[in-house]
Amino acid sequence: MKQEILIIGRGGQGVLLLGKLLGHAASKYANLYAVILESYAAETRGGESRTDVVIASSMEEIPYVKVLNPDIAIFMYPYNIEKYKPLLKPTSLVILDEEYVDPGLFKNYKAISARFSEIARKTAGSARVANIVILGRLIRETNIISLEHAKEAIKDLIPGNWIEVKIKALEAGCNSV
């Protein structure tokens, strides 16, 4: 079992954290192997951010660290969509924050779109946890890791005052329509 996951967004949306949480949960709690490659623009906020996550049952299934043909692609912001679309397979699952990304751009894919930033604002009072809402939805759609594994990863990697907020956002994403 190998899954290549491409996460695209802008600085400040938590693209890198989403990849770290996913990889950490997979490797520490789901007994899987994970590699993560992060890239981001020089600006602190607003530039393109990208995280490549490869999760597999064995290290032999991971001959490289960069996502070449994503099984799952998450677009939190419309940076370079035309550059990334050719990487997608016909069977790729695409998850979009439709507050920023037009779902019509992915008519030929299994696309799941919702206003994840709005769900985050309603759930936690801040769009800053939209990445965690998306993680919850990813878990629901793929079972790549369990909800409990993600909660444990949040407890490991998130500062104490944010843990409850992030877990609430995770559950909201898992229960979103």
Side-chain angles (χ1 to χ4, degrees):
M1 181 289 292
K2 180 178 88 169
Q3 295 285 303
E4 294 185 26
I5 304 154
L6 175 66
I7 307 166
I8 303 296
R10 66 178 181 190
Q13 285 187 301
V15 169
L16 306 182
L17 178 60
L18 175 54
K20 283 180 187 172
L21 286 168
L22 187 56
H24 184 79
S27 61
K28 185 171 182 182
Y29 296 106
N31 203 26
L32 298 168
Y33 293 85
V35 294
I36 303 166
L37 178 65
E38 302 171 342
S39 62
Y40 49 90
E43 302 93 48
T44 305
R45 294 198 181 276
E48 181 181 351
S49 288
R50 172 182 171 158
T51 301
D52 296 40
V53 181
V54 181
I55 296 174
S57 302
S58 70
M59 277 306 292
E60 291 76 30
E61 292 179 283
I62 307 176
Y64 47 84
V65 295
K66 188 172 183 172
V67 168
L68 302 176
N69 295 107
D71 299 290
I72 302 164
I74 298 169
F75 291 95
M76 295 180 66
Y77 203 77
Y79 280 119
N80 296 317
I81 285 177
E82 294 308 316
K83 171 181 147 185
Y84 294 118
K85 276 178 74 174
L87 300 178
L88 300 175
K89 301 183 273 194
T91 58
S92 294
L93 170 64
V94 181
I95 300 176
L96 313 165
D97 187 339
E98 65 183 49
E99 190 164 323
Y100 299 107
V101 182
D102 178 9
L105 296 171
F106 295 93
K107 290 179 185 172
N108 298 327
Y109 300 93
K110 180 183 177 189
I112 295 167
S113 65
R115 297 182 66 81
F116 294 111
S117 294
E118 184 177 307
I119 293 167
R121 281 191 292 278
K122 286 180 180 175
T123 301
S126 172
R128 290 180 60 192
V129 295
N131 59 337
I132 308 302
V133 174
I134 289 171
L135 177 58
R137 185 61 182 266
L138 173 66
I139 290 167
R140 185 176 106 196
E141 297 295 330
T142 66
N143 292 314
I144 195 164
I145 59 170
S146 75
L147 187 61
E148 290 308 312
H149 295 155
K151 287 179 181 180
E152 291 303 318
I154 287 170
K155 291 174 189 173
D156 289 347
L157 299 178
I158 303 299
N161 57 327
W162 277 95
I163 292 173
E164 189 175 312
V165 172
K166 300 277 187 178
I167 289 176
K168 191 174 179 182
L170 181 72
E171 291 170 343
C174 202
N175 296 323
S176 68
V177 177

